[in-house]
Amino acid sequence: MKEKDNRPVYLNLLAIDLPIIGISSILHRVSGFALFLIFIIAVWMLDRSLSSEEEFLNLLEDLNSLVLLKVIFYLFLVGIVYHSLIGVKKIISDFFGIGEDLRSGSFISWIYNVISLLVSILLFIKFFI
Amino acid sequence: MKGIFGSGTKDFLAVRITALILLVYCIYLTFFVFHNAPISFDVWEGLFQNVFMKIFTTLFLLSFSVHTWVGTWAIGSDYLTIARMGSLGPIVNKLYRTLCALIVGCVTLWSLIIIW
């Protein structure tokens, strides 16, 4: 690492033909950080839901009527699904060496992305339609 | 780079072991909610009154704090650096880590108080 090299440091992600594995990896990171932040709201909801029956029902009502809260909760669930699935993919490749090369890795990434998308659509229908 | 637990291997294992605990908890909670849908207050409160669930939730929260502490470190050490931000990098990173520590600490403590 000592020797000077001329490899580019500032990579323009839009100019690179990033494989699905790379896109998933970035989304995994973005979803992880988003979950970290949304978790604060999740704890707030847990607090309300357990404080009394009245608060529990109020929270359910809020989740139905407050669009912003609904969207945040939706993103929270979608984030968990995505982060978990790509996380499982990474653990499987880390510990069992499955999906480490470009072909199988891309294939597995596609499967998990499609599953996430389907679950997200299902949740969207359940939440907003 | 020494990471959080002194070596990359330990960080690697910490993230993955806590990830599995988080995953099992999420699957269990999802299953519980679906199984009891539409969920009532009594069932929901009963779940968290159960001492095993309290221990499981505590384990989840401790895993959450370790997982996010290492995860947010990885993000900061990638982007908030001298290479990307110049001399501002270390300062911004320090601020960012303080904010992360505050969030992880408060959220974990708060949720533990709720549970117990």
Side-chain angles (χ1 to χ4, degrees), chain B residues 38-102:
Chain B
I39 201 153
S40 70
F41 175 71
D42 289 334
V43 173
W44 182 246
E45 205 213 11
L47 172 69
F48 285 97
Q49 285 291 338
N50 187 311
V51 97
F52 291 106
M53 190 57 183
K54 287 187 188 206
I55 294 168
F56 194 17
T57 307
T58 305
L59 194 64
F60 170 87
L61 292 168
L62 295 178
S63 297
F64 170 84
S65 59
V66 170
H67 192 86
T68 52
W69 183 241
V70 181
T72 51
W73 175 85
I75 293 176
S77 64
D78 271 357
Y79 306 122
L80 310 175
T81 60
I82 293 175
R84 304 240 177 183
M85 305 187 80
S87 57
L88 220 61
I91 306 163
V92 175
N93 195 24
K94 196 139 213 164
L95 275 171
Y96 163 77
R97 292 309 284 155
T98 311
L99 195 69
C100 287
L102 217 64

Side-chain angles (χ1 to χ4, degrees), chain A residues 9-11 29 33 35-37 39-40 43-44 46-47 49-53 56 60 80 83-84 88 90-91 94-95 126, chain B residues 12 16 20 23 39-41 44-45 48 60-61 64 68 72 74-75 78-79 83-84 96 100 103-104 107 110-111 114-115:
Chain A
V9 177
Y10 299 99
L11 298 173
R29 191 166 255 207
F33 194 72
L35 286 175
F36 170 65
L37 295 179
F39 197 76
I40 303 168
V43 174
W44 169 74
L46 181 71
D47 189 19
S49 74
L50 290 174
S51 61
S52 71
E53 179 152 23
F56 179 83
L60 289 185
I80 289 175
H83 197 76
S84 301
V88 165
K90 279 172 187 257
I91 285 181
D94 285 341
F95 289 114
K126 183 125 180 72
Chain B
F12 176 94
R16 280 147 188 85
L20 288 175
L23 181 66
I39 201 153
S40 70
F41 175 71
W44 182 246
E45 205 213 11
F48 285 97
F60 170 87
L61 292 168
F64 170 84
T68 52
T72 51
I75 293 176
D78 271 357
Y79 306 122
R84 304 240 177 183
Y96 163 77
C100 287
I103 295 176
V104 172
V107 156
W110 183 23
S111 44
I114 296 169
I115 292 304

Side-chain angles (χ1 to χ4, degrees), chain B residues 1-12 14 69-70 73:
Chain B
M1 283 293 188
K2 284 204 152 174
I4 301 295
F5 292 106
S7 79
T9 312
K10 284 181 189 159
D11 281 11
F12 176 94
W69 183 241
V70 181
W73 175 85

Side-chain angles (χ1 to χ4, degrees), chain A:
Chain A
M1 289 298 277
K2 278 273 153 60
E3 57 211 68
K4 190 102 176 122
D5 61 43
N6 294 315
R7 287 178 300 174
V9 177
Y10 299 99
L11 298 173
N12 180 3
L13 290 176
L14 297 174
I16 300 172
D17 185 16
L18 203 59
I20 185 77
I21 308 170
I23 295 168
S24 306
S25 190
I26 291 172
L27 287 177
H28 181 72
R29 191 166 255 207
V30 171
S31 61
F33 194 72
L35 286 175
F36 170 65
L37 295 179
I38 300 178
F39 197 76
I40 303 168
I41 296 166
V43 174
W44 169 74
M45 291 203 284
L46 181 71
D47 189 19
R48 281 187 69 183
S49 74
L50 290 174
S51 61
S52 71
E53 179 152 23
E54 203 190 337
E55 269 304 292
F56 179 83
L57 295 172
N58 283 340
L59 177 67
L60 289 185
E61 179 55 38
D62 284 353
L63 274 173
N64 239 326
S65 56
L66 299 176
V67 178
L68 186 65
L69 192 62
K70 204 174 187 174
V71 169
I72 290 172
F73 191 56
Y74 172 75
L75 289 177
F76 185 61
L77 296 181
V78 168
I80 289 175
V81 170
Y82 194 84
H83 197 76
S84 301
L85 281 174
I86 302 299
V88 165
K89 191 237 165 233
K90 279 172 187 257
I91 285 181
I92 289 174
S93 84
D94 285 341
F95 289 114
F96 306 106
I98 296 167
E100 279 188 318
D101 58 286
L102 188 60
R103 243 180 89 90
S104 62
S106 299
F107 182 67
I108 296 169
S109 290
W110 269 116
I111 290 177
Y112 283 148
N113 275 284
V114 169
I115 294 174
S116 302
L117 190 66
L118 289 177
V119 174
S120 306
I121 293 170
L122 275 177
L123 282 172
F124 188 86
I125 293 170
K126 183 125 180 72
F127 268 61
F128 299 103
I129 296 172

